[in-house]
Amino acid sequence: MDKQWSKGTRRKKAIWGSESTASYFFGLDLIRWNRLRQGVIMSVGALNLIGSENACQKGANVTNIIAKLIPENEQKDFADFIFVLKNTDQQYFLRNDIWLEWVQWCRDNGKDREFGESSRIAKFLNRVPEILFMENLVLILHRYTLARYRIYRLSGSFDYMEEISINRYLDYKDAYILGNQAAANRNTLELDFLPFYDYSPEIRDVKNVGNGISFLNKYMSSNMFQQVKECRVKLFEFLRLHRINGQQLLVNGAILNNMEDFLGALEEIIEDLERLDPEMPYKNLEPQLKSKGFEPGWGHNAGRTLETMQLLYALFHEPSSAGLEGFISRVPMISKVAIISPHGWFGQENVLGKPDTGGQVIYILDQVRALEAHLEKEYELAGINVIPRVIVVTRLIPNAGATSCNQRTEDIVGTHNSYILRIPFYDEDGQQFQDWVSRFRIWSYLDRFACDCERDLLAEFQGRPDLIIGNYSDGNLVATLLSDRMDVIQCTIAHALEKTKYLFSDLYWQDLEPDYHFSCQFTADLLAMNKSDFIITSTYQEIAGTESRVGQYESYQFYTMPGLYQVVNGVNLFNPKFNVVPPGVDEANYFPYYNTEKRPTSKTTYWQKRLFEEESEDIYGYFEDPDQIPIFTMARLDRIKNITGLVEAFGQHPELRKHCNLIAAAGTIHSEDSQDREERSEIERMYELIGTYGLHGHIRWLPSVPKQETGEVYRIIADRRGLFVQPALFEAFGLTILEAMQCGLPTFAPIFGGPSEIIIDRKSGYLMNTSKPNLIADVLWDYIREYHENENLWQQISENGMERVREKFTWRLYSDKLIRLTKLYGFWRYTESQAGMIKLDRYCDLLYHLFFKPRAEAIKN
């Protein structure tokens, strides 16, 4: 085969990854992966439960499916390829397996590159995430466009096929895993949330998914135009009822008690304001406004007040989506925000690198600072004296070591009135639980934790919060319970969904249950997704993936956990609750390396010694040549973060070791200091790899760097024209990627997940297939070779990376959009959706009380 075709093949493999090796990397052991590849021996009786080849009826309708998908001149090749697949040692093929087998088939049959990449077969296979062989049937999952699927059942003779339902496909997968046990589980629990979404409009074009508020604004403004009287009344009532901390805002209902009087008074006051100096302060306007029934909140001066009232006047008379967003975003509605994050070690010092503790903590602390600053500015512009408060609710850990996690409250640095509130877990005897609990074993504590949160938040806020934000599966579940009990708008932020991180965690949930308790976690995800008012993600791909990869939320559309339940419709991606709101970077900590006037000399000197020279009991390794190009990585020491994968990549490549040094800031070098089983395993593997590849003199391994110091560490690596590598097997977003880029450090990150929307490959950074060490090494070595040929390469990537962050990823943009979303979804909740959501709420409540709680309570630490 020609070189071009081979090169193209390697490129596809590098981009798409190899699910075949994911057994180790994604936390599923090799034995389970081999079981899945080879399949289980299933009796004919079990297969007959769900139909056999005879269920595929020949005829025009079914034969036309093949003709529609594959032209007649390619059908023989298609049948031959399926035959070859069937006769391998696998029964279950994932996308990358399918493509690699297709490439090999093309080589073996003398097909050229154009056929291999552009034929109808190739285009069809490019959109097939799964193929499953069972007896004389072939089941093909066809993702014909983003988040849309058809499932085909192909006859054993490969000459005809028919489309089958999701229910039937899940039955087949159950039978595949359970074998004869499938008969006993025929009446398995089936979950279907879709019928309860009849209260809401639905997005039709998948490209608009992730911009739900824009769609919802158009829908609401259209209703206002078509249902003028009804919508006007709702908007007027919304204004009359609006209060902050008991203070009436905007409209005095005692004076303006009907809509006609209100509209007349609004028109009069607009005319009066148009004659005034725009800079006239509100206090000079207040007597006149109050006399006509207008309370504070319109603006801090005459100009701002006039603009706000003109937006409202236009909304009553010529409603538009832009006008609706423009006015509602100015209404002062949010002053008390509760952010829920129970797991891990939530603090501001000495916590990063501990189990379950990393980017989420950084994200939330930066989020709090940005939200408080935005709300303070908003109330200043609204002309009212309200002090906003953000409280982060987390878990109190009495045995806190060198952290502050045993303190009930902790002020958040960089804020005026925001703090961390810690609430303990209690064991079954009502005693405070003293130690850290893994995020995978947290479920039995959360029901009581939510009750305690409600009590303490009501006391701290002296009333209900205006917004509850959940974080990760556990925090989102608690936020859901609090939102129900307190009748407060809820925002869900997943950060990462374990279902996509741990390959086959749904199919082999029973094997993984003792360690991971995915039956509780996935159920909690379903509850939070469906009950939340809106969901924000950092990237579009988290929701609906890309052409070649399934999105995190998309993976919850339908799946089965054999013997437990089948999910036919788990989450409605086309409901307008999803919005992409990427986070930003703390610009006070992360700024370009060349801003030397902002870099304290003593701090720089200290970290230069720690990174390159100092001998210490908490640092392992040394450099024979400290002047070689430093490759720096920093993350928790667990399998998903794949620090050991980077060490192995570095060790396997002699040329990289010849030109570069590797610095890893991860966890601890002492396994006895770790409480986490997975981290201890990775520590042992680090030592094993260093010894196996003889990396002494080429590697230094430090403990995790304190958050406030990480910016200077990035800049020191940049001073030496080094690189930052984030080698995670999957990264939902990647705050460290933004931080490194903002400091001017060329950054390498996985193509799997959010980094693909942060980095423009080979322009503002580099994307890598991180599923195999050699693929990581290849990308790094390509850069090093090009760097030696082009001295400007480092500078170009550095400058492009900084520019990318400045344009797209700032906390100012984030906080502005999050508060806008809260207000607009709050308006939707009040005017349209609350009554319609009752059926969905009840369905979720039954699932929580009758299914989730008994399973959670059975977990013992």
Side-chain angles (χ1 to χ4, degrees):
M1 193 54 58
D2 62 70
K3 291 182 179 179
Q4 277 191 321
W5 169 237
S6 299
K7 182 178 180 181
T9 302
R10 288 196 298 271
R11 176 63 176 161
K12 287 184 182 295
K13 185 174 180 182
I15 291 175
W16 292 330
S18 174
E19 289 93 338
S20 301
T21 62
S23 53
Y24 167 73
F25 293 121
F26 284 78
L28 190 66
D29 63 62
L30 195 58
I31 295 174
R32 296 186 183 108
W33 171 235
N34 286 333
R35 283 174 58 194
L36 191 58
R37 287 168 61 93
Q38 295 167 9
V40 295
I41 299 174
M42 183 189 310
S43 73
V44 175
L47 186 59
N48 284 339
L49 285 170
I50 49 178
S52 64
E53 179 183 356
N54 294 331
C56 290
Q57 300 297 322
K58 292 184 178 181
N61 289 337
V62 293
T63 55
N64 281 344
I65 290 179
I66 291 182
K68 181 180 179 180
L69 295 171
I70 310 295
E72 185 176 356
N73 65 327
E74 293 183 18
Q75 289 177 18
K76 180 179 179 298
D77 290 330
F78 178 68
D80 187 65
F81 173 65
I82 296 295
F83 178 81
V84 169
L85 277 187
K86 181 181 179 182
N87 286 278
T88 64
D89 61 354
Q90 281 180 245
Q91 283 184 255
Y92 198 113
F93 291 83
L94 297 182
R95 185 186 182 283
N96 196 65
D97 300 317
I98 297 165
W99 189 261
L100 294 177
E101 291 290 344
W102 169 246
V103 169
Q104 188 61 49
W105 184 90
C106 288
R107 288 173 176 158
D108 294 344
N109 289 273
K111 301 295 183 179
D112 60 19
R113 178 180 177 181
E114 182 177 357
F115 184 86
E117 295 185 354
S118 303
S119 64
R120 286 285 292 277
I121 300 174
K123 291 177 180 177
F124 175 68
L125 294 176
N126 192 38
R127 292 187 172 274
V128 173
E130 299 177 0
I131 294 179
L132 175 60
F133 289 90
M134 299 181 65
E135 294 287 328
N136 290 319
L137 292 176
V138 186
L139 302 170
I140 302 174
L141 181 64
H142 183 211
R143 186 173 179 255
Y144 62 92
T145 189
L146 295 177
R148 301 283 195 185
Y149 293 83
R150 296 188 183 101
I151 304 164
Y152 300 117
R153 181 169 57 188
L154 179 63
S155 70
S157 55
F158 316 137
D159 60 346
Y160 62 90
M161 65 182 177
E162 66 176 342
E163 187 173 348
I164 63 173
S165 68
I166 290 172
N167 307 64
R168 179 57 59 88
Y169 181 60
L170 297 181
D171 284 342
Y172 276 120
K173 294 182 83 170
D174 278 0
Y176 173 71
I177 298 298
L178 297 174
N180 285 329
Q181 296 178 38
N185 290 280
R186 180 62 176 152
N187 294 319
T188 188
L189 174 64
E190 184 178 287
L191 302 180
D192 188 350
F193 294 86
L194 193 61
F196 302 102
Y197 277 91
D198 55 355
Y199 72 90
S200 170
E202 186 168 293
I203 295 171
R204 297 184 181 276
D205 186 351
V206 69
K207 294 178 182 178
N208 292 326
V209 169
N211 193 20
I213 198 59
S214 176
F215 177 87
L216 197 59
N217 282 345
K218 291 176 183 177
Y219 176 82
M220 288 191 290
S221 61
S222 175
N223 280 355
M224 293 182 73
F225 189 80
Q226 296 174 18
Q227 304 170 21
V228 177
K229 185 174 181 180
E230 180 183 349
C231 290
R232 278 183 168 187
V233 170
K234 286 182 179 179
L235 179 56
F236 175 59
E237 290 301 317
F238 174 78
L239 296 171
R240 288 182 62 201
L241 295 174
H242 195 59
R243 289 178 173 83
I244 287 286
N245 298 335
Q247 179 186 2
Q248 180 67 46
L249 299 179
L250 302 178
V251 176
N252 186 330
I255 298 175
L256 299 173
N257 54 20
N258 65 75
M259 191 173 63
E260 289 71 21
D261 289 346
F262 167 73
L263 290 176
L266 181 65
E267 189 168 352
E268 288 181 19
I269 203 69
I270 286 175
E271 291 178 359
D272 292 343
L273 289 170
E274 287 175 337
R275 293 190 289 269
L276 299 177
D277 178 2
E279 297 301 321
M280 180 180 289
Y282 172 77
K283 64 180 181 180
N284 294 352
L285 306 171
E286 188 172 13
Q288 180 184 4
L289 290 173
K290 279 184 168 290
S291 68
K292 294 190 176 183
F294 294 97
E295 297 292 337
W298 297 96
H300 67 297
N301 60 23
R304 178 84 176 181
T305 301
L306 175 61
E307 289 175 5
T308 306
M309 289 184 166
Q310 286 173 332
L311 284 169
L312 179 60
Y313 185 84
L315 194 57
F316 271 106
H317 294 87
E318 296 180 16
S320 67
S321 59
L324 179 63
E325 181 172 358
F327 173 72
I328 296 297
S329 65
R330 287 195 177 203
V331 176
M333 295 168 59
I334 313 299
S335 67
K336 297 175 287 191
V337 181
I339 298 177
I340 316 298
S341 181
H343 78 254
W345 301 72
F346 200 104
Q348 299 176 90
E349 292 183 357
N350 303 321
V351 298
L352 295 184
K354 284 185 173 293
D356 298 341
T357 309
Q360 181 173 316
V361 172
I362 298 170
Y363 179 108
I364 293 172
L365 291 172
D366 286 346
Q367 176 194 51
V368 170
R369 296 182 186 101
L371 286 176
E372 188 192 71
H374 177 88
L375 291 171
E376 287 175 344
K377 183 65 176 177
E378 186 173 278
Y379 281 105
E380 178 187 333
L381 291 174
I384 53 180
N385 183 25
V386 170
I387 300 173
R389 180 187 301 177
V390 183
I391 300 177
V392 178
V393 184
T394 188
R395 186 232 159 165
L396 185 140
I397 306 173
N399 293 338
T403 77
S404 57
C405 294
N406 58 354
Q407 298 176 15
R408 183 178 183 273
T409 62
E410 179 183 348
D411 292 340
I412 295 176
V413 175
T415 68
H416 300 114
N417 200 37
S418 298
Y419 52 92
I420 301 166
L421 172 65
R422 298 188 179 92
I423 297 172
F425 285 169
Y426 291 91
D427 63 23
E428 56 192 11
D429 298 322
Q431 300 298 311
Q432 281 193 20
F433 201 82
Q434 300 295 305
D435 299 315
W436 163 81
V437 179
S438 164
R439 71 185 189 276
F440 296 118
R441 306 186 68 85
I442 201 172
W443 306 105
S444 60
Y445 300 100
L446 296 183
D447 191 71
R448 174 164 179 172
F449 182 77
C451 293
D452 294 339
C453 286
E454 179 184 13
R455 178 199 64 221
D456 286 13
L457 283 173
L458 288 171
E460 296 292 325
F461 282 131
Q462 297 183 348
R464 298 181 304 166
D466 304 310
L467 167 65
I468 297 173
I469 302 174
N471 293 271
Y472 189 72
S473 301
D474 44 42
N476 287 323
L477 179 66
V478 174
T480 297
L481 297 174
L482 290 171
S483 175
D484 274 356
R485 293 168 180 169
M486 304 170 82
D487 191 23
V488 173
I489 189 168
Q490 175 195 352
C491 169
T492 284
I493 306 175
H495 293 280
L497 293 166
E498 302 291 347
K499 186 173 177 294
T500 52
K501 289 169 63 176
Y502 290 82
L503 194 63
F504 306 124
S505 51
D506 50 358
L507 290 180
Y508 283 105
W509 72 273
Q510 293 190 66
D511 293 340
L512 299 166
E513 191 73 356
D515 292 329
Y516 296 100
H517 299 284
F518 285 140
S519 66
C520 286
Q521 182 148 18
F522 298 170
T523 306
D525 289 335
L526 289 173
L527 292 168
M529 290 172 189
N530 285 286
K531 294 201 73 166
S532 60
D533 293 279
F534 66 102
I535 297 170
I536 67 172
T537 68
S538 298
T539 61
Y540 174 87
Q541 66 81 31
E542 288 178 57
I543 309 169
T546 66
E547 287 191 4
S548 59
R549 291 187 298 280
V550 174
Q552 292 186 61
Y553 282 96
E554 183 184 355
S555 74
Y556 281 81
Q557 283 186 292
F558 58 90
Y559 64 93
T560 182
M561 300 180 80
L564 185 68
Y565 59 57
Q566 293 179 354
V567 178
V568 179
N569 288 290
V571 60
N572 183 4
L573 297 186
F574 298 89
N575 180 271
K577 67 170 60 179
F578 288 94
N579 292 272
V580 177
V581 188
V585 178
D586 177 5
E587 295 178 23
N589 194 5
Y590 304 101
F591 53 84
Y593 66 97
Y594 51 73
N595 288 351
T596 54
E597 71 283 356
K598 297 171 67 175
R599 299 173 61 181
T601 303
S602 57
K603 180 185 287 190
T604 303
T605 302
Y606 173 81
W607 281 105
Q608 283 176 340
K609 290 180 178 179
R610 286 280 288 172
L611 293 168
F612 295 96
E613 303 168 17
E614 180 181 316
E615 294 183 9
S616 172
E617 63 180 14
D618 66 344
I619 299 176
Y620 183 83
Y622 65 96
F623 293 140
E624 292 176 353
D625 182 1
D627 294 329
Q628 290 186 160
I629 297 171
I631 297 174
F632 177 63
T633 188
M634 179 172 59
R636 297 191 312 274
L637 201 53
D638 60 28
R639 288 184 181 181
I640 291 297
K641 293 302 182 182
N642 199 31
I643 299 295
T644 53
L646 175 60
V647 173
E648 188 170 3
F650 184 72
Q652 287 179 353
H653 205 288
E655 291 298 321
L656 274 179
R657 298 202 306 272
K658 181 179 178 181
H659 294 276
C660 305
N661 289 320
L662 179 60
I663 305 172
T668 172
I669 67 172
H670 303 297
S671 60
E672 63 272 17
D673 291 343
S674 174
Q675 299 174 306
D676 184 71
R677 176 179 54 83
E678 188 172 296
E679 184 181 44
R680 288 195 299 270
S681 174
E682 290 296 283
I683 292 171
E684 292 169 7
R685 180 151 177 77
M686 285 283 282
Y687 285 116
E688 178 186 335
L689 290 169
I690 291 170
T692 299
Y693 292 107
L695 296 182
H696 299 287
H698 300 280
I699 188 171
R700 277 172 69 83
W701 174 15
L702 334 178
S704 298
V705 178
K707 169 71 164 60
Q708 65 272 19
E709 306 294 323
T710 53
E712 187 58 26
V713 170
Y714 291 131
R715 287 186 286 270
I716 289 169
I717 303 297
D719 291 337
R720 296 177 178 236
R721 295 298 187 263
L723 315 172
F724 177 71
V725 179
Q726 216 281 33
L729 297 163
F730 177 85
E731 185 61 67
F733 183 66
L735 277 176
T736 56
I737 294 166
L738 286 185
E739 293 166 358
M741 291 169 67
Q742 176 74 352
C743 293
L745 199 53
T747 298
F748 294 69
I751 199 167
F752 307 117
S756 62
E757 292 183 37
I758 298 175
I759 289 174
I760 300 175
D761 191 26
R762 298 178 183 272
K763 181 178 180 182
S764 57
Y766 291 80
L767 295 172
M768 311 178 295
N769 180 337
T770 52
S771 65
K772 290 184 177 181
N774 65 292
L775 299 177
I776 297 173
D778 286 347
V779 175
L780 289 170
W781 178 238
D782 284 347
Y783 166 83
I784 295 297
R785 283 190 304 180
E786 190 175 351
Y787 170 69
H788 285 303
E789 295 171 2
N790 176 9
E791 293 182 357
N792 295 323
L793 179 64
W794 189 95
Q795 195 68 37
Q796 291 168 358
I797 300 297
S798 172
E799 291 175 357
N800 290 340
M802 289 185 285
E803 181 66 21
R804 176 75 173 165
V805 174
R806 284 193 294 267
E807 286 183 356
K808 300 291 184 180
F809 305 100
T810 70
W811 283 114
R812 179 186 57 78
L813 294 172
Y814 174 97
S815 55
D816 177 71
K817 188 166 185 180
L818 178 56
I819 296 302
R820 281 174 177 257
L821 291 174
T822 303
K823 293 177 178 180
L824 289 159
Y825 281 103
F827 181 69
W828 162 251
R829 179 186 174 105
Y830 171 78
T831 59
E832 301 285 345
S833 73
Q834 196 157 14
M837 286 185 68
I838 290 176
K839 291 182 292 182
L840 178 59
D841 281 347
R842 297 295 178 265
Y843 186 69
C844 291
D845 290 345
L846 286 172
L847 184 61
Y848 177 75
H849 288 286
L850 300 182
F851 181 87
F852 176 86
K853 277 187 69 175
R855 294 197 70 86
E857 290 168 359
I859 298 173
K860 304 296 182 184
N861 279 287

